[in-house]
Amino acid sequence: MESIGVLMMCPMNSYLENELEKRFNLLRFWTSPEKSVLLETHRNSIRAVVGNAFVGADAQLINDLPKLEIVSSFSVGLDKIDLGVCKDKGIHVTNTPDVLTEDVADLAIGLILALLRRLCECDRYVRSGKWKQGDFKLTTKFSGKSVGIIGLGRIGTAIAKRAEAFSCPINYYSRTVKPDVAYKYYPTVVDLAKNSDILVVACPLSDETRHIVNRQVMDALGPKGVLINIGRGPHVDEQELVKALTEGRLGGAALDVFEKEPHVPEELFGLENVVLLPHVGSGTVETRNAMADLVVGNLEAHFSGKSLLTPVV
Amino acid sequence: MAGASDTPLVLLHRPPSLDFMDEILSRNFRILNTDTSSEPLPIFLSRHASSARAFVVVGRFFVTAEILSYLPSLQLLVCGSVGFDHVDLAECKRRGVVVTNARNAFSDDVADCAVGLLISVLRRIPAGDRFIRSGDWEKYGEFRLGSKVSGKRVGILGFGSIGSFVAKRLEGFDCVISYNSRSEKPSVPYRYYSDILSLAANNDVLVLCCSLTEQTHHIVNREVMESLGKDGVIINVGRGKLIDEKEMVKCLVDGVIGGAGLDVFENEPAVPEELFGLENVVLSPHSGVATQGSLDNVAEITLANLKAFFSNRPLLSPVQLD
């Protein structure tokens, strides 16, 4: 299989790179100063693309690679892949579901606690020596607060399970009611926001869910409500969010994702009711290794004619 | 404000920042507040507090044998805290003074704080927040990976109200829970280890939720930390003196243990400065209890204990005096 060209779109994991290099001819898209030359040179040998949440395979790339058979994403989100074009051309797509569900859910709860209990501020307070001058102020209790989840898929369900252990009543919005679920359903995101103390974004990004958290939703959440985004940056109208926070119309936000990563609006840097993380939802050694094994496993299965492990298309 | 002469007199001592109970206490009792005088405390107490049968203490005020000697009528000491290591219990017992604490008032918040610190250490939350605010994400891109929380083995030291609340929350993360306490609790579904060394050897994370006594002073020492190991994490929401702090700092700096989330320290508010440069440590200014919810709970149980006492009914949260 060493002659099979696998194009990796950006640096994502050195374990993954090593494993791919052992099995295939690995081409690193980001190391080439002239990307169009790289594509031109290798267009007949590149049969697979490995992307992630930052860079995937858009229509242009797919069209530049006539021998492309499979796109294997180092992520569960598929918003950076043109699924329509892949389907039309019969190109297989795989992702990394399930192995990262727990990490993302753990982080969602971690973000809620860090935000409500001001854990980052507390840490700064101690490190700066300010504790010697006086106690830190009161923060907000998490246990018992109502949690509203947008999207009750694998990740949303895992978040609900964890929040229940803190005695939080769970509400949710999804495209349809889930009949076997004991949580309270709201037919619109605005209704969900009105009736929840904490709003969590946990749905896939699509044309329908872009800016699903807009100004109306933020106003419904209100100055005592907080927003947690572990989905994708474009789920939230980021410009509106910055305004809502700086004007005090929204109580707080904890964000792992942004519209134009790694850029984060600087207006947020001075706010103490905000927690910011560099897209680390699945960022543990254990999970990234498991994701890498899935990417490699899917490619190996495809190129040896076996069933794909985690196919999407 | 209650003014009738047969309304019971209650002595109150609290720092100005913790005046959250002043109003509700004044509505129900005649309150003698140590804050109202600039006299030295012993003189104030001798002059005004000799008939006080109840004393409410909020904050870390040391109720010593000397203080008790100025309160000849004292029968009830109400602590606005769960810990009572700042009270001379032997002297209270000798004088026939019953002591109550705030029982479960803080348990939710302290348990939430413990879990918050645990996730923050393993997933590097404050470090990640700093990485962005300093501009490093745009400059350098890659942020070091953390460690998975779900499924970790967590050993809880002390299985009272706080310890059991921590366990309940961590079950939601499919953590494997075990514990050590003075004695095994048959109704508790988790594995019991009879000593802290084996608890440390068999867990990835140690959460300290026990009270500070002579037996638990420096219970987490170098040997325990070596047993926990280089990937092990300590979370302390109990008392600073549960840990040999000097040794812990060395163990963190030298990589003998993997990280720590600390809400309490041996000499608050002093915190060893060697910790400030460490990325695998999350520090909190003893704010495990500091939410309005907890304060409301403390006020409620304080009032309930006082009312019970003055109407000769059983107290809600008496503390064992031996």
Side-chain angles (χ1 to χ4, degrees):
Chain A
M1 287 190 192
E2 290 77 18
S3 59
I4 297 173
V6 174
L7 180 66
M8 185 181 250
M9 300 309 296
C10 64
M12 50 188 82
N13 184 274
S14 29
Y15 167 70
L16 176 60
E17 278 183 50
N18 292 339
E19 292 302 301
L20 289 172
E21 226 161 14
K22 282 186 210 165
R23 296 161 170 80
F24 307 105
N25 178 25
L26 181 66
L27 300 159
R28 295 173 175 80
F29 196 59
W30 68 96
T31 59
S32 172
E34 282 298 319
K35 300 200 171 29
S36 52
V37 172
L38 181 144
L39 292 177
E40 186 60 39
T41 310
H42 297 280
R43 69 198 300 270
N44 288 320
S45 70
I46 294 176
R47 294 165 62 187
V49 162
V50 172
N52 69 355
F54 295 97
V55 189
D58 58 14
Q60 165 142 39
L61 182 76
I62 296 169
N63 286 322
D64 283 341
L65 300 172
K67 302 291 177 103
L68 185 61
E69 296 167 24
I70 178 170
V71 176
S72 188
S73 194
F74 186 68
S75 70
V76 69
L78 299 163
D79 45 285
K80 287 286 182 352
I81 298 174
D82 195 323
L83 295 173
V85 172
C86 286
K87 192 163 184 198
D88 290 342
K89 290 178 174 256
I91 295 170
H92 297 285
V93 179
T94 67
N95 62 349
T96 60
D98 298 321
V99 294
L100 50 65
T101 299
E102 289 172 315
D103 261 2
V104 179
D106 293 351
L107 193 75
I109 302 296
L111 282 172
I112 294 173
L113 284 164
L115 178 61
L116 261 52
R117 300 297 298 273
R118 296 289 192 268
L119 295 180
C120 300
E121 280 300 309
C122 279
D123 185 85
R124 269 189 277 269
Y125 194 75
V126 175
R127 285 179 204 240
S128 67
K130 287 209 186 96
W131 192 15
K132 298 207 178 136
Q133 289 146 28
D135 282 336
F136 195 70
K137 60 188 177 188
L138 292 184
T139 59
T140 305
K141 185 171 182 154
F142 171 39
S143 277
K145 290 289 191 313
S146 54
V147 175
I149 305 175
I150 302 175
L152 208 62
R154 288 173 291 246
I155 292 173
T157 301
I159 293 172
K161 173 184 164 194
R162 284 151 178 72
E164 280 194 287
F166 292 80
S167 309
C168 296
I170 310 290
N171 309 318
Y172 74 102
Y173 162 83
S174 70
R175 279 168 302 185
T176 53
V177 185
K178 311 236 163 188
D180 301 321
V181 151
Y183 312 133
K184 179 145 189 196
Y185 175 74
Y186 284 93
T188 68
V189 181
V190 170
D191 282 341
L192 183 70
K194 250 193 232 147
N195 291 284
S196 305
D197 299 310
I198 300 164
L199 186 66
V200 184
V201 183
C203 58
L205 181 66
S206 64
D207 289 333
E208 292 81 40
T209 61
R210 190 177 174 277
H211 284 195
I212 194 172
V213 178
N214 55 18
R215 176 168 178 142
Q216 217 196 346
V217 170
M218 292 180 223
D219 285 344
L221 200 46
K224 291 225 175 81
V226 299
L227 174 70
I228 312 294
N229 192 1
I230 44 86
R232 286 286 180 267
H235 276 129
V236 176
D237 183 338
E238 204 162 274
Q239 263 191 323
E240 277 302 328
L241 177 68
V242 172
K243 275 200 234 138
L245 287 167
T246 52
E247 290 167 20
R249 286 182 286 112
L250 179 63
L255 313 166
D256 185 42
V257 286
F258 304 87
E259 292 212 71
K260 290 192 166 59
E261 296 168 16
H263 175 72
V264 175
E266 283 178 21
E267 297 92 317
L268 299 179
F269 292 3
L271 300 178
E272 56 89 43
N273 58 341
V274 154
V275 175
L276 308 166
L277 289 183
H279 202 150
V280 294
S282 62
T284 66
V285 174
E286 298 95 324
T287 294
R288 291 285 167 84
N289 284 352
M291 288 163 66
D293 289 342
L294 262 184
V295 169
V296 174
N298 273 303
L299 291 176
E300 279 188 320
H302 170 75
F303 288 115
S304 53
K306 301 207 186 87
S307 304
L308 296 174
L309 305 178
T310 48
V312 173
V313 170
Chain B
M1 175 154 142
S5 59
D6 56 353
T7 311
L9 177 72
V10 175
L11 177 67
L12 171 66
H13 181 84
R14 50 69 182 144
S17 58
L18 291 176
D19 62 352
F20 63 97
M21 279 202 270
D22 283 14
E23 208 220 306
I24 197 169
L25 290 177
S26 303
R27 269 191 268 133
N28 288 275
F29 304 100
R30 263 187 311 139
I31 297 298
L32 179 64
N33 193 334
T34 59
D35 208 7
T36 54
S37 165
S38 51
E39 288 173 310
L41 190 59
I43 297 180
F44 175 85
L45 295 178
S46 310
R47 280 225 188 110
H48 307 284
S50 53
S51 66
R53 293 169 59 208
F55 183 10
V56 175
V57 174
V58 187
R60 255 187 110 54
F61 171 74
F62 283 89
V63 182
T64 60
E66 195 207 327
I67 294 290
L68 291 167
S69 71
Y70 299 119
L71 305 169
S73 306
L74 191 67
Q75 294 171 300
L76 173 69
L77 177 66
V78 180
C79 293
S81 62
V82 173
F84 35 87
D85 47 287
H86 54 294
V87 175
D88 187 337
L89 292 178
E91 186 63 14
C92 285
K93 187 168 184 189
R94 200 181 69 75
R95 289 175 164 272
V97 174
V98 178
V99 180
T100 64
N101 72 345
R103 200 174 53 182
N104 293 345
F106 302 117
S107 301
D108 279 329
D109 280 327
V110 178
D112 288 358
C113 179
V115 177
L117 286 172
L118 195 162
I119 305 177
S120 292
V121 174
L122 288 178
R123 298 299 298 271
R124 310 186 67 235
I125 295 179
D129 184 270
R130 281 195 293 270
F131 188 69
I132 290 188
R133 289 183 205 236
S134 63
D136 283 351
W137 194 23
E138 282 203 78
K139 261 193 247 153
Y140 302 118
E142 270 191 66
F143 182 69
R144 234 184 75 200
L145 296 177
S147 176
K148 187 167 177 165
V149 172
S150 278
K152 281 281 192 299
R153 300 169 305 164
V154 179
I156 300 177
L157 184 68
F159 212 81
S161 156
I162 294 174
S164 65
F165 280 28
V166 170
K168 172 181 171 227
R169 282 149 178 74
L170 290 178
E171 279 208 74
F173 297 79
D174 295 323
C175 287
V176 179
I177 314 282
S178 55
Y179 73 104
N180 168 254
S181 65
R182 273 170 303 196
S183 55
E184 187 167 0
K185 306 192 180 218
S187 58
V188 169
Y190 313 117
R191 178 163 181 176
Y192 177 73
Y193 284 99
S194 53
D195 61 271
I196 188 174
L197 212 51
S198 38
L199 188 74
N202 290 285
N203 281 290
D204 306 307
V205 180
L206 269 188
V207 183
L208 310 185
C209 303
C210 59
S211 49
L212 178 64
T213 64
E214 272 173 26
Q215 292 77 37
T216 62
H217 182 265
H218 282 197
I219 193 171
V220 176
N221 55 19
R222 171 118 195 164
E223 207 190 346
V224 170
M225 288 186 263
E226 282 174 354
S227 183
L228 187 60
K230 65 173 183 56
D231 293 322
V233 169
I234 298 178
I235 304 297
N236 191 2
V237 292
R239 284 287 179 270
K241 292 189 203 282
L242 291 172
I243 304 180
D244 180 343
E245 201 165 270
K246 259 206 235 155
E247 271 309 319
M248 178 187 60
V249 172
K250 278 200 225 134
C251 286
L252 283 164
V253 169
D254 295 340
V256 173
I257 58 172
L262 310 166
D263 186 44
V264 286
F265 304 85
E266 290 215 52
N267 292 303
E268 296 167 18
V271 174
E273 286 181 18
E274 299 92 316
L275 298 178
F276 294 174
L278 299 179
E279 289 242 311
N280 56 345
V281 158
V282 176
L283 307 168
S284 176
H286 201 151
S287 48
V289 309
T291 71
Q292 191 58 50
S294 273
L295 297 189
D296 292 344
N297 289 348
V298 173
E300 194 182 312
I301 199 169
T302 296
L303 193 64
N305 275 309
L306 285 168
K307 283 187 175 171
F309 172 73
F310 286 113
S311 54
N312 293 314
R313 284 183 283 113
L315 298 169
L316 275 76
S317 53
V319 161
Q320 277 279 84
L321 288 185
D322 45 35

